[in-house]
Structure formats: C-alpha cells, structure tokens
Amino acid sequence: MVDDILRTPGAVRDAERWTAHNYHPLPVVISSAEGAWLTDVDGRRYLDCLAGYSALNFGHRHPQLIAAAHAQLDRLTLTSRAFIHDQFADFCRELAELCGKDLVLPMNTGAEAVETGIKVARKWGYQVKGVAPGQANIVVAEGNFHGRTTTIVSFSTDEDARADFGPYTPGFTVVPYGDLDALAAAIDENTVAVLLEPIQGEQGVVVPPEGYLPGVRQVCTERDVLFIADEIQSGLGRTGATFACDHEGVVPDMYLLGKALGGGIVPVSAVAANADVLGVLKPGQHGSTFGGNPLACAVAVEVVRLLATGEFQRRSAELGERLRAGLEGLVGKGLVAVRVRGLWAGLDIDPALMSGREACERLAARGVLAKDTHGSTIRLAPPLVITEEEIDLAVNALAEVLAG
Ligand SMILES: Cc1ncc(COP(=O)(O)O)c(C=O)c1O
C-alpha cells in the first residue's frame, strides 16, 4: 500500500501538529486492542511488549475488569471524598490485605502516590520521630524514576527530566543505587525515609545486588527511618511475585502503587502503610478530588481480586523463565547484557549495532511493540496474559532485528 491510502502517516502528522512534543512515540497509531495484541488504524496487528509501562499487566480489556467498569459506569462515577461511596471500603480493605498493611490512601497517578509518600514521611518525621522543624531529609538513589512533579524531578539524576525546572525542592540526598554502605552513610538524625525502586524500571530494569534490599530494610529499622518502596512499575505481578520486594522477603514500611492498579482502564494509585505511619494525616492535610473515586475503586478492587488468586504472579514467574532463556541466547549475538525478573526484561543492545530507538522501530516493522529507555537499552514488559508462543514470537523478532 502507498502512503496516501494508509491512515497512519496523516494521523501521525496530526498528532505531532496538535501536541507538545514531550514524547517521541513510534509512528504507530493504535485503534483497538485485546489481550496482548494491538491493532492500528490500517489494520496491522502488533504484539504489545510494553503494556503501557506495566499499566496493562492483565492485558488489554480484561473481561472481568471491563465488566466491572461497565457496571460502575451505569451506577455511579464520582462523589469526591466529601462523601463515602459504596465501592470505597472494599477496595481499601482488599488492597490493604494484599499489602499486609493496616491502611490505604488512594490517589490517581504514580507521581501523586510518590508525593503522598514524601509528605507522609516528612510529617511522620516531625510528629513521631521528633525531627527539628523544616530539617527532614529523604535518601534516594541515582538513576531513580519516580515521576514528573517539580519535587520529584528535583532529585532525579536524569538531566532531561530535571534541567530548567528549578528552583528545586530541597531535602533529598542521592546515593548510588545498590551500594548499602553509601546509603547507610547518608542517613543522619534528620533522615525520615529511604525512597527506592526495588528494581529500577526506567533505568533499564536494573536489579540491585542480592542482599541490598534486606540490608536497606535492616538499616532503616536500626536507624528509625521509613523504607518506602516505589512498586509503581515493579509491583502487582510484573516480576513473578506480588511485589518485587517479595523476592528477597523484604517488607517496606510503605508501598507506593499505581499503573496496573487501574487495570489499564482508569488511573489509580495508592499508598499502603500501617496506622502508625499513615495515621499522621488528619482531615484537610492531604487529598485529591478524583482519588478513590467509585469507578477507580470498582475496577481496582477487581485488579486486587485477580492478584489475590496468585495466577498472574505464577504466569509471570513461569513465562519469565522462557523469556529469560530466549533472551540469554541472544547475548553475544547483538545483545551485550540482559536482566530479567518475571516478565520484565532490560536488554542492552551492542551500541555499535544500533540504538534502542532503531531496534524498537525495526521490531515494530516485524509486529512487536517495545520501547527504548536510554541509549541502546530497551525494556520488554508484555502483558502477563502473553502466551509461550507469543514470547517466542517476540524473541524471534528480536533475533531477526539483531541479525540485521
Ligand atoms: C517507579 C515509578 N514511579 C513512579 C512513576 C510515575 O507514575 P505516573 O506516570 O503514573 O505519574 C513511574 C512511571 O513510570 C514509575 O515507573
């Protein structure tokens, strides 16, 4: 087909014309999806190996989630937190139980959950730990990605994310990721929290050395500091467990959740923690008009129920081994290194061969959609409903791309 009878080029041009250029999307225009598959405006099908940056862990339009959304749309969509609605308690209780925590605070986006975690930790620091007013600090890691608000980009080490957005919020100390001694040395009497991704997703699925997370847990306990785990991308089944922290038997003081919590339908995020931590918030001190709305709760409680079966965590662990085997077979054949946890993989392509962007363009031409993270690193995060055959399809497409 030639360009003038394809709908894609015009749709790409229109999108470019009418939006700020804060993304550099692949030139693919999606119009429908089901499970692990996407269809574009010209009828071409693609295997989704990004899953909305892990927001679509249960695949596109999972029947149980879509049914819950439809039913809720027909009854009640929004009340604000000025009133209580009939979907609220079940969602909060079931999510708290999944997390093994006393309480849940629902918000909308991941960045809002992170902001909430920061605010709660600071207030806990002043009211419970006894930090002097205005002195609280939080230890974070190099290479972090926690979102895009002005406070969060203040402690980003990615210049693209940070530059020219100052003045920056003070009160953060950055240490190398995976270095327990550096982290322990950065903690002082005013440290209220350590905020970490248990696996750094945007950085290229970087898994810390074994023993790091348990070490962080121990240091935090000994020094009376909250351990905040940002599981917004790593959590909810992605790594073959409910939380990435589970792989090392670590329980943080606060879980930050988002992305997949909304079932790929609505933005839903949450902070889960015990009452001695989340209990520091009193009426009027924090909130969000849409946080915990009826539609969000109706969908998210079904997400929690899907996770409570354990089926998705199992699939992710089992199929992840197949993905690992396939990808490790490509090391030395165009891949320099791979890191795999469950159905989540970071691939370092030999930079002499091609950039991550080029690899993703070539994968798209073969019907597989993935996204580069930095330089020549790409990330695979397919929906957890992907099958063995589809994993093989993705690995074979990658092998073809690398072979040129
Ligand atoms: C670990 C982590 N935290 C926070 C966020 C921010 O989430 P959102 O884009 O929903 O604000 C992301 C998004 O990629 C993330 O990966």
Side-chain angles (χ1 to χ4, degrees):
M1 276 195 276
V2 289
D3 269 12
D4 56 357
I5 57 169
L6 285 176
R7 292 176 60 197
T8 297
V12 170
R13 264 196 311 275
D14 282 353
E16 291 278 301
R17 163 67 183 82
W18 292 105
T19 183
H21 291 175
N22 57 327
Y23 280 87
H24 183 29
L26 292 175
V28 172
V29 184
I30 307 300
S31 61
S32 64
E34 186 163 4
W37 289 90
L38 303 157
T39 304
D40 77 5
V41 288
D42 292 308
R44 289 174 293 218
R45 297 183 78 230
Y46 302 88
L47 181 62
D48 186 354
C49 283
L50 182 64
Y53 298 96
S54 290
L56 287 150
N57 281 0
F58 311 96
H60 294 267
R61 299 170 50 244
H62 188 287
Q64 190 172 327
L65 304 180
I66 292 292
H70 277 302
Q72 193 59 38
L73 277 172
D74 286 338
R75 289 200 309 115
L76 175 72
T77 56
L78 189 66
T79 55
S80 87
R81 294 282 308 279
F83 316 113
I84 301 168
H85 61 80
D86 64 0
Q87 301 297 308
F88 191 70
D90 280 352
F91 164 63
C92 294
R93 176 175 49 78
E94 292 185 39
L95 181 59
E97 285 170 1
L98 185 81
C99 297
K101 296 293 183 193
D102 298 339
L103 302 174
V104 155
L105 196 172
M107 298 294 281
N108 309 284
T109 63
E112 285 174 292
V114 175
E115 288 278 349
T116 303
I118 291 168
K119 288 175 71 178
V120 168
R122 285 179 169 183
K123 199 172 261 298
W124 173 89
Y126 298 124
Q127 296 194 343
V128 179
K129 183 168 175 170
V131 170
Q135 298 303 307
N137 72 69
I138 294 178
V139 178
V140 298
E142 264 172 35
N144 70 72
F145 187 86
H146 297 286
R148 301 291 195 173
T149 65
T150 39
T151 286
I152 294 171
V153 300
S154 295
F155 57 86
S156 172
T157 54
D158 172 355
E159 270 313 283
D160 280 344
R162 184 174 190 276
D164 295 335
F165 293 123
Y168 300 110
T169 306
F172 298 93
T173 308
V174 183
V175 296
Y177 187 63
D179 182 340
L180 188 58
D181 292 340
L183 182 134
I187 292 176
D188 62 24
E189 73 278 10
N190 295 325
T191 303
V192 296
V194 169
L195 167 62
L196 292 176
E197 297 154 85
I199 294 176
Q200 289 189 328
E202 294 302 307
Q203 191 61 15
V205 191
V206 174
V207 182
E210 210 182 319
Y212 177 65
L213 296 174
V216 173
R217 174 66 279 177
Q218 192 182 341
V219 168
C220 286
T221 304
E222 286 169 3
R223 308 283 294 274
D224 196 19
V225 166
L226 299 177
F227 181 3
I228 307 177
D230 180 344
E231 294 257 14
I232 287 165
Q233 193 167 161
S234 59
L236 309 184
R238 172 55 55 194
T239 65
T242 304
F243 303 110
C245 283
D246 295 349
H247 291 285
E248 295 208 60
V250 165
V251 178
D253 298 295
M254 216 190 279
Y255 288 107
L256 308 181
L257 304 172
K259 294 194 191 280
L261 192 55
I265 299 174
V266 274
V268 187
S269 67
V271 172
N274 281 339
D276 57 332
V277 176
L278 266 182
V280 299
L281 290 179
K282 299 288 178 285
Q285 295 178 348
H286 192 57
S288 155
T289 304
F290 290 92
N293 69 72
L295 182 60
C297 289
V299 171
V301 75
E302 293 302 330
V303 164
V304 174
R305 287 170 188 163
L306 289 177
L307 286 165
T309 68
E311 180 198 333
F312 290 89
Q313 296 89 323
R314 255 192 318 278
R315 282 189 74 81
S316 179
E318 286 167 17
L319 293 169
E321 285 313 305
R322 192 175 186 94
L323 181 65
R324 177 197 301 281
L327 294 175
E328 283 180 349
L330 299 178
V331 174
K333 297 178 187 162
L335 290 186
V336 177
V338 297
R339 296 166 295 278
V340 186
R341 259 293 156 82
L343 280 171
W344 206 22
L347 325 178
D348 299 336
I349 295 171
D350 181 351
L353 272 185
M354 68 190 89
S355 66
R357 170 80 187 185
E358 267 179 271
C360 290
E361 285 168 355
R362 294 187 199 185
L363 280 170
R366 285 171 171 76
V368 173
L369 290 189
K371 188 72 176 79
D372 49 310
T373 55
H374 295 278
S376 53
T377 299
I378 66 175
R379 164 191 26 198
L380 300 182
L384 310 182
V385 297
I386 194 170
T387 64
E388 289 186 352
E389 294 72 29
E390 289 161 350
I391 287 174
D392 295 347
L393 189 155
V395 170
N396 291 339
L398 183 66
E400 283 172 26
V401 164
L402 296 172

